[in-house]
Amino acid sequence: MTAPPFLPFALPEIGEEEIAEVVDTLRSGWVTTGPKARRFEQDFAAFLGDPTLQAIAVNSATAGLHLALEALGIGPGDEVITTTHTFTATAEVVRYLGADVVLVDIDPATLNIDPARVEAAITPRTRAIIPVHYAGLAANVDAILTLARCHGLKVVEDAAHALPTTCGGALVGTLGSDATVFSFYANKTITTGEGGMVVTRDPELAKRVKVMRLHGISRDAFDRFTAKTPSWHYEIVAPGYKYNLTDIAAALGIHQLQRARGFQQRRAAIAQRYRAAFADLPVQLPPEPAAGELHAWHLYVLRLADAAPLARDAFIERLFALGIGVSVHYIPLHLHPYWRERYGLDAAQFPHSQHAYERMLSLPLYTKMSEADIERVIAAVRQQLLQG
Ligand SMILES: *Cc1c(COP(=O)(O)O)cnc(C)c1O
């Protein structure tokens, strides 16, 4: 018998419409930021369903987070509070601006940033909070916004996992923070290969993000190209960045976005299959959203119970040997040398993140999984956790 092929941890679902739109872009003569990027921005704002929102396309969520914090004036001497249980991009952008990162622990039930820990970390230097909607489950944005209002702080949501996610029935992106940033990286819930979107209701913030995403030029290249009058003239108003999204990428995004609701339903259905199949195992299942709320199910994170017959690392090795790709989200920031050494951190300061990290793994969860793929993951997990 030949072994079944390796089941990857994540795969994008790119359809014929995406491919045709990319080809159309390639044939059009306009391959960088132009009409498709603009359409993707308009479609994205329409998807969120709030006409007061502006959506600004960028070439990654990292770029979008950087631009949002820059537009809010974060700089040296400032502190920004975020969760230790995230990808380094959430925090590194604060350092780009010369400000300091203050990491806090998570709520062990949801794995999202704990508002009580945020409150305890506020100092006179605190300027902003970056909640992350971990795995696609909404963070407690209400509590964070209340804290921000009381203390005069800005809030930028890292919504890299949260398309579409709701909080109190409202889509993430519309919740009332200063800016929300989505990612279209290859393994996210929709993808443009690389890409991101900054969403805001603040016209001044939007204006600054647009200028800074393209060199600090007062008008973007597409405006200059399509203007009806001679348009060679432009002004540089700041030392900006090169963070614009290409039309090739936006062509993918336009069609991925149209499928985002369907993708979410498929992901939620797979999560329900896992939930039913693993209910009797020595594991902690991922938290479910409250009734009526959308969970994007970017990740399916299991935590091994202390009664599990094997430890997390051994479990991952067994699954890998069975040809199943898994991952860990995340090695918390406090364990990485840069963050640990810069801020003198140790695991005892983050007991919930540390405890979860030592027991967690993320199973394959993506729309292209077949029934057989799902069954294979279920069988492998059950076999290892029942036998050890
Ligand atoms: C993927 C991710 C990012 C970065 O997104 P890019 O588009 O790759 O820059 C930021 N934060 C979190 C939580 C992520 O998972």
Side-chain angles (χ1 to χ4, degrees), residues 166-245:
T166 61
C167 184
L171 282 168
V172 168
T174 69
L175 302 180
S177 61
D178 294 278
T180 305
V181 183
F182 295 89
S183 174
F184 313 128
Y185 178 66
N187 71 359
K188 297 291 163 50
T189 56
I190 75 168
T191 186
T192 61
E194 301 281 356
M197 192 73 76
V198 180
V199 173
T200 183
R201 283 200 187 95
D202 177 346
E204 288 305 309
L205 190 145
K207 199 169 150 196
R208 179 71 178 180
V209 167
K210 284 182 193 167
V211 166
M212 294 305 281
R213 90 176 145 176
L214 196 67
H215 300 298
I217 297 176
S218 60
R219 277 198 294 166
D220 74 31
F222 184 65
D223 282 345
R224 283 193 287 123
F225 189 78
T226 56
K228 294 287 182 280
T229 51
S231 57
W232 55 271
H233 188 263
Y234 62 87
E235 285 179 314
I236 299 299
V237 296
Y241 305 100
K242 188 70 200 294
Y243 282 167
N244 54 306
L245 187 74

Side-chain angles (χ1 to χ4, degrees), residues 60-62 65 86-87 89-90 132 158 160-161 183-185 188 194-195 330:
S60 70
T62 308
L65 290 164
T86 188
F87 184 57
T90 313
V132 178
D158 179 338
H161 301 180
S183 174
F184 313 128
Y185 178 66
K188 297 291 163 50
E194 301 281 356
Y330 292 93

Side-chain angles (χ1 to χ4, degrees), residues 83-94:
T83 167
T84 190
H85 213 94
T86 188
F87 184 57
T88 195
T90 313
E92 75 192 23
V93 294
V94 174

